[in-house]
Amino acid sequence: MKNSILSTATVLLGSLLLSISPGFQARAQTPTVTISGAIIEQKAKAAMPYVNVILKTEKDSAFVSGTVTDEAGRFTLASVKPGSYRLEYSLIGYATQRQPLYVGSLTSFLDVGTVELAEDARLLNEVVVTGQQQGLGDKMDKKTFSVADNISQAGGSVLQAMQNLPGVAVQDGKVLLRGSDRVAVLMDGKQTAITGFGNQQGLDNIPASAIERIEIINNPSAKYDANGNAGIINIIYKKNKQEGFNGKAGFSTGLGALWVKRGNLPGIRPQYQATPKINPSLSLNYRKNKVNAFFQGDYLYTQTLNKNEFVTRTYDDGTVIDQQTKRNRNTTFITTKAGIDWNINDSNLLTISGLFGSEKIIDRGDEPFFTENLTNRYRLWQFLEDELKTTVVASAAYQHKYAQPGHLLNLGFNYTFHREDEKYFFTNTLPSFTGKDSFKLLSDENVADLTLDYVRPLRYGRVEGGFKFRRRVIPTNMQFFPGLNSPLDSLAGGKATYGETIPALYGNYVFENQKFEAEVGLRVEYFRLRYVVDPNHPTYQSDGYSYTQPFPNVRLAYKLNERNKLSLFYNRRVDRPNEVDIRIFPKYDDAEIIKVGNPALGAQFTNTFELGFRAGLNRGYFYTALYHRQADGTITRIGSTVPGSTIIYNIFQNAGRSYNTGLEVVFSQEISKALSFNLNLNGYRNQIDAFTVRNLYPVPNTFTAARQEMFSGNVKLNSTLRLPKGLDAQLTAIYLAPDLVPQGRIGSRFSLDAGVKKTLNKGRDELFINATDLLNTMVIRKTVNGQGFSYVSNDYYETQVIRVGYTRKF
């Protein structure tokens, strides 16, 4: 009865939303620029206060803004939109000066320099200045999306919110940009252990309710760390700066796994159904005089059918094994962030903040193994995973503002501590005996970052440069406790310590005039890794490497006219193995497909070229980009077997050279005040050249792979319908074409998400209801061909969730 009601509600919601064709659109904000300069007397070279400074449009001389110079002769004009203008300077007794002024879209501040007023009439040369657009930017290097506009994924996690964004795909719990999961994830512009250093993790456990917006940066400049060949995703936490006391409170709840996609194999515990989701959130802010204090707290509790994968493995000797991996997961995630901004004076700002995160995971897994056609069960592997992840982040940032607006010096320190306390308890049931096994892993990550950044506006753009130093140390300790006839490799335990040191310098120059733009930067990075292994380890020894490498970036653009622009990008980036990629301890959450790290794993270096075109339309835009990436030392998992065993060992290796070439198109249009849509198409060709590698675990063996190549892509349609009386509706359709995975392919996938939001009390209150994977069609199908085996898998994990929620501003 319960499932029938839920199913009926799902169908009714889908019918309603499909009948009104709702949608989603990411909105760009209108950029503004701050103009500054100084005025002196021509002969005396002395500062001139009280000079009138007027900004007018070039076309019709209409007044835009005005001010007078201060005692130091300086002036500032804020909130100027991009366009062509004329500046006029006047003071009784002096000749009026007029100056053409072009405001572009590459920097938020510009300095027209020093202007001299003289008694004789004299015109100054043309001065060209620039500005920066936020949102879906003019530079075409970054797309910005407000989480509040993502109605169909409201109340879920950050990972779920991302899968609706243009250019983003989600696969196996990871974010892919243009077909690659080598994505660096930042939080408020910084790397933290919550999302991973140099990689991505934990995104499915961060509540979207804590996030203000998400930035997707496909072509990062030199000021960003060099890792992440596919680009950067920057997650911006909510932070209000309104005067006085204000805040926002919210609560959402939902149910997932509304019906069984595929029933269990015989003899195991039931899979989760009607899984509850609970997410209260609170955001507070108090601002008075020179102090701004802020707090953000979120609690997320979920039950999830995290995995429900059916696998048929076929070995070269004819052995066939049918198995199911079912994992019921309970997750409790608490995160709080608090801090204070202290405006010491008009020139100096100090921000101190802290973040605390606690993630508790309980997994109950079942893995039955049968002979072909389920004629006989030869093994049942059951486990309980009890994992606690604790993260503490402390940050301090100091900013000095020079007299010239936009002329800044920033100094920052960021410390992260992350503890991973993981326990596994196994029951291994065979026809002749039952064994009890367990292991415990303790890992403490300590990361300290020191940064120095300098920015100075110029007459034609800006220069910026800086320094960063990172020290990261991760000691780990794995202890195995084998039982009767234990399958655990107890000798593979012990201690290991990961340590990295990274000093880096960067410089960046931005130039713009009415027809051309240029951004040229260089980051030089020294990297040193040492991985110290217990000398008694039977397979691996201590290892490491170091390099000093340049990472340039170039962006050249030509403005065809005011609306159309052509850009060319180049950058070089690196993907270094993360600690878990080289962690030497075998992982047994799958009893017969074992994951092991590789301490000899090296870095992957990537060169990216992109040609982009952006056309402004009436109430919309069209964007397309042709891109090509070439990676050396491609990092991938290699699965192989050893003689006399059916166990598959998945080990990270550098597979040689790979390529990713594709075309991305985004078309966004507001058809009317009520209806808008955003269509994203991305097609690409992935290729991994033939390679040969040598695995050391559990015994040395050589693996050879032929060249893999495949054309793939995805299509994503978001549409938004804005109805009277504060009612908004949204529909998102996603299609992912078949694609390459290590040693195999993943099948096509399709999902439909929908949501409705009602705004009440003049925007102070919001009520929403939504459904992800409305038609319950998302299934992950893979075919893998390894050395000595092949397998076909179908994962019917939980994808359909219905949520309702309410938020209130105060």
Coordinates of all heavy atoms in Angstrom, one line a residue, residues 37-113:
G37 N 41.3 57.1 -10.4 CA 42.4 57.9 -11.0 C 42.8 59.0 -10.0 O 42.3 59.1 -8.9
A38 N 43.7 59.8 -10.5 CA 44.2 60.9 -9.7 C 44.4 62.2 -10.6 O 44.7 62.0 -11.8 CB 45.5 60.6 -9.0
I39 N 44.2 63.4 -10.0 CA 44.4 64.6 -10.8 C 45.4 65.5 -10.1 O 45.3 65.7 -8.8 CB 43.0 65.3 -10.9 CG1 42.0 64.4 -11.6 CG2 43.2 66.7 -11.6 CD1 40.6 65.0 -11.8
I40 N 46.3 66.0 -10.8 CA 47.3 66.9 -10.3 C 47.4 68.2 -11.2 O 46.9 68.2 -12.3 CB 48.7 66.3 -10.2 CG1 49.2 65.9 -11.7 CG2 48.7 65.1 -9.3 CD1 50.7 65.4 -11.7
E41 N 48.0 69.2 -10.6 CA 48.2 70.5 -11.3 C 49.4 70.3 -12.2 O 50.4 69.8 -11.8 CB 48.4 71.6 -10.3 CG 47.9 73.0 -10.9 CD 49.1 73.6 -11.7 OE1 50.2 73.3 -11.5 OE2 48.8 74.4 -12.6
Q42 N 49.3 70.7 -13.5 CA 50.4 70.4 -14.5 C 51.7 71.0 -14.1 O 52.7 70.3 -14.2 CB 50.0 70.9 -15.8 CG 50.9 70.4 -16.9 CD 50.5 71.0 -18.3 OE1 50.4 72.2 -18.4 NE2 50.4 70.1 -19.3
K43 N 51.8 72.2 -13.6 CA 53.0 72.8 -13.4 C 53.6 72.4 -12.0 O 54.8 72.1 -11.9 CB 52.9 74.4 -13.5 CG 52.6 74.8 -14.9 CD 52.5 76.4 -14.9 CE 52.2 76.9 -16.3 NZ 52.1 78.3 -16.4
A44 N 52.8 72.6 -11.0 CA 53.2 72.3 -9.6 C 53.3 70.8 -9.3 O 54.0 70.4 -8.3 CB 52.3 73.0 -8.6
K45 N 52.6 70.0 -10.1 CA 52.6 68.6 -9.8 C 52.0 68.2 -8.5 O 52.3 67.2 -7.9 CB 54.0 67.9 -10.0 CG 54.7 68.2 -11.3 CD 53.9 67.7 -12.5 CE 54.7 67.9 -13.7 NZ 54.0 67.5 -14.9
A46 N 51.1 69.1 -8.0 CA 50.5 68.9 -6.7 C 49.1 68.4 -6.9 O 48.4 68.6 -7.9 CB 50.4 70.3 -6.0
A47 N 48.6 67.6 -5.9 CA 47.3 67.0 -5.9 C 46.2 68.1 -5.9 O 46.4 69.2 -5.3 CB 47.1 66.1 -4.7
M48 N 45.1 67.9 -6.7 CA 44.1 68.9 -6.8 C 42.8 68.3 -6.2 O 42.1 67.5 -6.9 CB 43.9 69.2 -8.3 CG 45.1 69.9 -8.9 SD 44.8 70.4 -10.7 CE 43.6 71.7 -10.4
P49 N 42.4 68.8 -5.1 CA 41.1 68.4 -4.5 C 39.9 69.2 -5.1 O 40.1 70.2 -5.8 CB 41.2 68.7 -3.0 CG 42.2 69.9 -3.0 CD 43.1 69.6 -4.1
Y50 N 38.7 68.6 -5.0 CA 37.5 69.3 -5.4 C 37.3 69.5 -6.9 O 36.6 70.3 -7.4 CB 37.3 70.6 -4.7 CG 37.5 70.5 -3.2 CD1 38.6 71.2 -2.6 CD2 36.7 69.7 -2.4 CE1 38.8 71.2 -1.2 CE2 37.0 69.6 -1.0 CZ 38.0 70.3 -0.5 OH 38.3 70.2 0.9
V51 N 38.0 68.7 -7.7 CA 37.8 68.7 -9.1 C 36.6 67.9 -9.5 O 36.4 66.8 -9.0 CB 39.1 68.1 -9.9 CG1 38.8 68.1 -11.4 CG2 40.3 68.9 -9.6
N52 N 35.7 68.4 -10.3 CA 34.5 67.7 -10.8 C 34.9 66.6 -11.8 O 35.6 66.9 -12.8 CB 33.5 68.7 -11.4 CG 33.0 69.7 -10.4 OD1 32.5 69.3 -9.3 ND2 33.2 71.0 -10.6
V53 N 34.5 65.4 -11.6 CA 34.7 64.3 -12.5 C 33.3 63.8 -12.9 O 32.5 63.3 -12.1 CB 35.5 63.2 -11.8 CG1 35.8 62.1 -12.8 CG2 36.8 63.7 -11.3
I54 N 33.1 63.9 -14.2 CA 31.8 63.5 -14.8 C 32.0 62.4 -15.8 O 32.9 62.4 -16.7 CB 31.1 64.7 -15.5 CG1 30.9 65.8 -14.5 CG2 29.7 64.2 -16.0 CD1 30.1 65.6 -13.3
L55 N 31.2 61.3 -15.7 CA 31.2 60.2 -16.7 C 29.9 60.3 -17.5 O 28.8 60.3 -17.0 CB 31.2 58.9 -16.0 CG 31.3 57.6 -16.9 CD1 32.6 57.5 -17.5 CD2 31.0 56.4 -16.0
K56 N 30.1 60.4 -18.9 CA 29.0 60.5 -19.8 C 29.1 59.4 -20.9 O 30.2 58.9 -21.1 CB 29.0 61.8 -20.5 CG 28.8 63.0 -19.6 CD 28.8 64.3 -20.4 CE 28.6 65.5 -19.5 NZ 28.6 66.8 -20.2
T57 N 28.0 59.0 -21.5 CA 28.0 58.0 -22.6 C 28.7 58.7 -23.8 O 28.5 59.9 -24.1 CB 26.6 57.5 -22.9 OG1 25.8 58.6 -23.3 CG2 26.0 56.8 -21.7
E58 N 29.4 57.9 -24.6 CA 30.0 58.4 -25.8 C 29.0 58.7 -26.9 O 29.2 59.7 -27.6 CB 31.1 57.4 -26.3 CG 31.9 57.8 -27.5 CD 32.8 56.7 -28.0 OE1 32.3 55.6 -28.3 OE2 34.0 57.0 -28.0
K59 N 28.0 57.9 -26.9 CA 27.0 58.1 -28.0 C 26.2 59.3 -28.0 O 26.1 60.1 -29.0 CB 26.1 56.8 -28.0 CG 25.1 56.8 -29.2 CD 24.3 55.5 -29.1 CE 23.3 55.5 -30.3 NZ 22.5 54.2 -30.3
D60 N 25.6 59.7 -26.8 CA 24.7 60.8 -26.7 C 25.1 61.8 -25.6 O 24.3 62.6 -25.2 CB 23.3 60.3 -26.6 CG 23.1 59.4 -25.5 OD1 24.0 59.2 -24.6 OD2 22.0 58.7 -25.4
S61 N 26.2 61.6 -24.9 CA 26.7 62.4 -23.8 C 25.7 62.5 -22.7 O 25.6 63.5 -21.9 CB 26.9 63.9 -24.4 OG 27.9 63.9 -25.3
A62 N 25.0 61.4 -22.5 CA 24.1 61.3 -21.3 C 24.9 61.1 -20.0 O 25.9 60.4 -20.0 CB 23.1 60.2 -21.5
F63 N 24.4 61.8 -18.9 CA 25.1 61.7 -17.7 C 25.0 60.3 -17.1 O 23.9 59.7 -17.1 CB 24.5 62.7 -16.7 CG 25.1 62.6 -15.3 CD1 26.3 63.2 -15.0 CD2 24.4 61.9 -14.3 CE1 26.8 63.1 -13.7 CE2 24.9 61.8 -13.0 CZ 26.1 62.4 -12.7
V64 N 26.1 59.7 -16.6 CA 26.1 58.4 -16.0 C 26.4 58.4 -14.6 O 25.7 57.9 -13.7 CB 27.1 57.4 -16.8 CG1 27.1 56.1 -16.1 CG2 26.7 57.3 -18.2
S65 N 27.5 59.1 -14.2 CA 27.9 59.2 -12.8 C 28.8 60.4 -12.6 O 29.4 60.9 -13.6 CB 28.6 57.9 -12.4 OG 29.0 57.9 -11.1
G66 N 29.0 60.8 -11.4 CA 29.9 61.9 -11.1 C 30.4 61.9 -9.7 O 29.8 61.3 -8.8
T67 N 31.5 62.6 -9.5 CA 32.1 62.7 -8.1 C 33.1 63.9 -8.1 O 33.2 64.6 -9.2 CB 32.8 61.4 -7.8 OG1 33.2 61.5 -6.4 CG2 34.0 61.2 -8.6
V68 N 33.7 64.2 -7.0 CA 34.8 65.2 -6.9 C 36.0 64.5 -6.3 O 35.9 63.5 -5.5 CB 34.3 66.4 -6.1 CG1 33.2 67.1 -6.7 CG2 33.9 66.0 -4.6
T69 N 37.2 65.0 -6.6 CA 38.4 64.4 -6.0 C 38.5 64.8 -4.5 O 38.0 65.8 -4.0 CB 39.6 65.0 -6.8 OG1 39.6 66.4 -6.7 CG2 39.6 64.5 -8.2
D70 N 39.2 63.9 -3.8 CA 39.4 64.1 -2.4 C 40.7 64.9 -2.1 O 41.3 65.5 -3.0 CB 39.5 62.8 -1.6 CG 40.7 61.9 -2.1 OD1 41.6 62.4 -2.8 OD2 40.6 60.7 -1.8
E71 N 41.1 65.0 -0.8 CA 42.2 65.9 -0.5 C 43.5 65.4 -1.2 O 44.4 66.2 -1.4 CB 42.4 65.9 1.0 CG 41.3 66.5 1.8 CD 41.2 68.0 1.6 OE1 42.3 68.6 1.2 OE2 40.2 68.7 1.9
A72 N 43.6 64.1 -1.5 CA 44.8 63.6 -2.2 C 44.7 63.7 -3.7 O 45.5 63.2 -4.4 CB 45.0 62.2 -1.8
G73 N 43.6 64.3 -4.2 CA 43.4 64.4 -5.6 C 42.9 63.1 -6.3 O 42.8 63.1 -7.5
R74 N 42.5 62.1 -5.5 CA 42.0 60.9 -6.1 C 40.5 60.9 -6.2 O 39.8 61.6 -5.5 CB 42.4 59.7 -5.2 CG 44.0 59.5 -5.1 CD 44.3 58.1 -4.7 NE 43.9 57.2 -5.7 CZ 44.6 56.8 -6.8 NH1 45.8 57.4 -7.0 NH2 44.2 56.0 -7.7
F75 N 40.0 60.1 -7.2 CA 38.5 59.9 -7.4 C 38.2 58.5 -7.7 O 39.0 57.7 -8.1 CB 38.0 60.8 -8.5 CG 38.5 60.4 -9.9 CD1 37.8 59.5 -10.6 CD2 39.7 61.0 -10.4 CE1 38.2 59.1 -11.9 CE2 40.1 60.6 -11.7 CZ 39.4 59.7 -12.4
T76 N 36.9 58.1 -7.4 CA 36.4 56.8 -7.6 C 35.0 56.9 -8.2 O 34.2 57.6 -7.6 CB 36.4 55.9 -6.3 OG1 37.8 55.9 -5.8 CG2 35.9 54.5 -6.6
L77 N 34.7 56.1 -9.2 CA 33.4 56.0 -9.8 C 33.0 54.5 -9.7 O 33.7 53.7 -10.4 CB 33.3 56.5 -11.2 CG 33.5 58.0 -11.4 CD1 33.7 58.3 -12.9 CD2 32.4 58.8 -10.8
A78 N 32.0 54.1 -9.0 CA 31.7 52.7 -8.8 C 30.5 52.3 -9.6 O 29.7 53.2 -10.1 CB 31.4 52.5 -7.3
S79 N 30.3 51.0 -9.8 CA 29.1 50.4 -10.5 C 28.9 50.9 -11.9 O 27.8 51.3 -12.3 CB 27.9 50.7 -9.6 OG 28.0 50.2 -8.3
V80 N 30.0 51.0 -12.7 CA 29.9 51.4 -14.1 C 29.8 50.1 -14.9 O 30.6 49.2 -14.8 CB 31.2 52.2 -14.5 CG1 31.1 52.6 -16.0 CG2 31.3 53.4 -13.6
K81 N 28.8 50.1 -15.8 CA 28.6 48.9 -16.7 C 29.5 49.0 -17.9 O 29.9 50.1 -18.3 CB 27.1 48.9 -17.1 CG 26.2 48.6 -16.0 CD 24.7 48.6 -16.5 CE 23.8 48.4 -15.4 NZ 22.3 48.3 -15.9
P82 N 29.9 47.9 -18.5 CA 30.7 47.9 -19.7 C 30.1 48.7 -20.8 O 28.9 48.7 -21.0 CB 30.8 46.4 -20.1 CG 30.6 45.7 -18.8 CD 29.6 46.5 -18.1
G83 N 31.0 49.4 -21.5 CA 30.5 50.3 -22.6 C 31.5 51.3 -23.0 O 32.6 51.4 -22.4
S84 N 31.2 52.2 -23.9 CA 32.0 53.3 -24.3 C 31.5 54.6 -23.7 O 30.4 55.0 -23.8 CB 32.0 53.4 -25.9 OG 32.6 52.3 -26.4
Y85 N 32.5 55.3 -23.1 CA 32.1 56.5 -22.3 C 33.1 57.7 -22.6 O 34.1 57.5 -23.4 CB 32.1 56.3 -20.8 CG 31.2 55.2 -20.3 CD1 31.6 53.8 -20.2 CD2 29.9 55.5 -20.0 CE1 30.7 52.9 -19.8 CE2 29.0 54.5 -19.6 CZ 29.4 53.2 -19.5 OH 28.6 52.2 -19.1
R86 N 32.9 58.8 -21.9 CA 33.8 59.9 -21.9 C 33.9 60.5 -20.5 O 32.8 60.7 -19.9 CB 33.3 61.0 -22.9 CG 34.3 62.1 -23.1 CD 34.0 63.1 -24.2 NE 32.8 63.9 -23.9 CZ 31.6 63.8 -24.5 NH1 31.5 62.9 -25.5 NH2 30.6 64.5 -24.2
L87 N 35.1 60.7 -20.0 CA 35.3 61.3 -18.7 C 35.6 62.8 -18.9 O 36.4 63.2 -19.8 CB 36.5 60.7 -18.0 CG 36.2 59.4 -17.2 CD1 37.5 58.8 -16.8 CD2 35.4 59.7 -16.0
E88 N 35.0 63.6 -18.1 CA 35.3 65.1 -18.1 C 35.7 65.5 -16.8 O 35.1 65.2 -15.7 CB 34.0 65.8 -18.5 CG 33.6 65.6 -20.0 CD 32.4 66.5 -20.4 OE1 31.9 67.3 -19.5 OE2 31.9 66.3 -21.5
Y89 N 36.9 66.3 -16.7 CA 37.4 66.9 -15.5 C 37.3 68.4 -15.6 O 37.8 69.0 -16.6 CB 38.9 66.4 -15.4 CG 39.1 65.0 -15.6 CD1 39.6 64.5 -16.8 CD2 38.9 64.0 -14.6 CE1 39.9 63.2 -17.1 CE2 39.1 62.7 -14.8 CZ 39.6 62.2 -16.1 OH 39.8 60.9 -16.3
S90 N 36.8 69.0 -14.6 CA 36.6 70.5 -14.6 C 36.8 71.1 -13.3 O 36.4 70.5 -12.2 CB 35.2 70.8 -15.2 OG 34.2 70.4 -14.4
L91 N 37.4 72.3 -13.3 CA 37.6 73.1 -12.1 C 37.7 74.5 -12.5 O 38.4 74.8 -13.5 CB 38.8 72.6 -11.3 CG 39.1 73.4 -10.0 CD1 38.0 73.0 -8.9 CD2 40.4 73.0 -9.4
I92 N 37.1 75.4 -11.8 CA 37.1 76.9 -12.1 C 38.6 77.3 -12.2 O 39.4 77.1 -11.3 CB 36.3 77.7 -11.1 CG1 34.8 77.3 -11.2 CG2 36.5 79.2 -11.4 CD1 34.0 78.0 -10.1
G93 N 39.0 78.0 -13.3 CA 40.3 78.4 -13.5 C 41.2 77.5 -14.3 O 42.3 77.9 -14.6
Y94 N 40.7 76.3 -14.6 CA 41.4 75.4 -15.4 C 40.6 74.9 -16.6 O 39.4 74.9 -16.5 CB 41.8 74.2 -14.5 CG 42.8 74.5 -13.4 CD1 42.4 75.0 -12.2 CD2 44.2 74.3 -13.7 CE1 43.4 75.3 -11.2 CE2 45.1 74.6 -12.7 CZ 44.7 75.1 -11.5 OH 45.6 75.4 -10.5
A95 N 41.3 74.5 -17.6 CA 40.6 74.1 -18.8 C 40.0 72.7 -18.6 O 40.6 71.8 -17.9 CB 41.6 74.0 -20.0
T96 N 38.8 72.5 -19.1 CA 38.2 71.2 -18.9 C 38.9 70.2 -19.8 O 39.2 70.4 -21.0 CB 36.7 71.3 -19.4 OG1 36.0 72.2 -18.5 CG2 36.0 70.0 -19.3
Q97 N 39.1 69.0 -19.2 CA 39.8 67.9 -19.9 C 38.7 66.9 -20.3 O 37.8 66.6 -19.4 CB 40.9 67.3 -19.1 CG 42.0 68.2 -18.8 CD 43.0 68.4 -19.9 OE1 42.7 68.0 -21.0 NE2 44.1 69.0 -19.7
R98 N 38.8 66.3 -21.4 CA 37.9 65.2 -21.8 C 38.7 64.0 -22.3 O 39.7 64.1 -23.0 CB 37.0 65.7 -23.0 CG 36.0 66.8 -22.5 CD 35.2 67.3 -23.7 NE 34.2 68.3 -23.3 CZ 34.5 69.6 -23.1 NH1 35.7 70.0 -23.4 NH2 33.6 70.4 -22.7
Q99 N 38.2 62.8 -21.9 CA 39.0 61.6 -22.1 C 38.1 60.5 -22.5 O 37.1 60.1 -21.8 CB 39.7 61.2 -20.8 CG 40.9 60.4 -20.9 CD 41.5 60.2 -19.5 OE1 40.8 60.1 -18.5 NE2 42.8 60.1 -19.4
P100 N 38.3 59.9 -23.7 CA 37.5 58.7 -24.1 C 37.8 57.5 -23.2 O 38.9 57.4 -22.7 CB 38.0 58.4 -25.5 CG 38.7 59.6 -26.0 CD 39.2 60.3 -24.8
L101 N 36.8 56.8 -22.9 CA 36.9 55.7 -21.9 C 36.2 54.5 -22.3 O 34.9 54.6 -22.5 CB 36.4 56.2 -20.5 CG 36.5 55.2 -19.4 CD1 37.9 54.9 -19.0 CD2 35.7 55.8 -18.2
Y102 N 36.9 53.4 -22.5 CA 36.2 52.1 -22.8 C 36.2 51.2 -21.6 O 37.3 50.9 -21.1 CB 36.9 51.4 -24.0 CG 36.3 50.0 -24.3 CD1 35.0 49.8 -24.8 CD2 37.1 48.9 -24.0 CE1 34.5 48.6 -25.0 CE2 36.6 47.6 -24.2 CZ 35.3 47.5 -24.7 OH 34.8 46.2 -24.9
V103 N 35.1 50.7 -21.2 CA 35.0 49.8 -20.1 C 34.7 48.4 -20.6 O 33.7 48.2 -21.3 CB 33.9 50.2 -19.1 CG1 33.7 49.2 -18.0 CG2 34.2 51.6 -18.5
G104 N 35.7 47.5 -20.4 CA 35.5 46.1 -20.9 C 35.0 45.2 -19.9 O 34.2 45.5 -19.0
S105 N 35.5 43.9 -20.0 CA 34.9 42.9 -19.1 C 35.9 41.9 -18.6 O 35.6 40.7 -18.4 CB 33.8 42.1 -19.9 OG 34.4 41.6 -21.1
L106 N 37.1 42.3 -18.3 CA 38.1 41.4 -17.9 C 38.6 41.7 -16.4 O 39.3 40.8 -15.9 CB 39.3 41.4 -18.8 CG 39.1 40.9 -20.2 CD1 40.4 40.8 -21.0 CD2 38.4 39.6 -20.2
T107 N 38.3 42.8 -15.9 CA 38.8 43.1 -14.5 C 37.7 44.0 -13.9 O 37.1 44.9 -14.5 CB 40.2 43.7 -14.5 OG1 40.6 44.0 -13.2 CG2 40.2 45.0 -15.3
S108 N 37.6 43.8 -12.6 CA 36.5 44.6 -11.8 C 37.0 46.0 -11.5 O 36.2 46.8 -11.1 CB 36.2 43.8 -10.5 OG 35.7 42.6 -10.8
F109 N 38.3 46.3 -11.6 CA 38.8 47.6 -11.3 C 39.7 48.1 -12.4 O 40.3 47.3 -13.1 CB 39.6 47.6 -10.0 CG 38.8 47.2 -8.8 CD1 38.7 45.9 -8.4 CD2 38.2 48.2 -8.0 CE1 38.0 45.5 -7.3 CE2 37.5 47.8 -6.9 CZ 37.3 46.5 -6.5
L110 N 39.7 49.4 -12.6 CA 40.6 50.0 -13.6 C 41.1 51.3 -13.1 O 40.5 51.9 -12.3 CB 40.0 50.2 -15.0 CG 38.7 51.1 -15.0 CD1 39.1 52.5 -15.3 CD2 37.7 50.5 -15.9
D111 N 42.3 51.7 -13.5 CA 42.9 52.9 -13.1 C 43.3 53.7 -14.4 O 44.1 53.3 -15.2 CB 44.2 52.6 -12.3 CG 44.8 53.9 -11.8 OD1 44.1 54.9 -11.7 OD2 46.1 53.8 -11.5
V112 N 42.7 54.9 -14.5 CA 43.0 55.7 -15.7 C 44.3 56.5 -15.5 O 44.7 57.3 -16.4 CB 41.8 56.7 -16.0 CG1 40.5 56.0 -16.2 CG2 41.7 57.7 -14.8
G113 N 45.0 56.3 -14.4 CA 46.2 56.9 -14.1 C 46.1 58.3 -13.6 O 45.1 58.7 -13.0

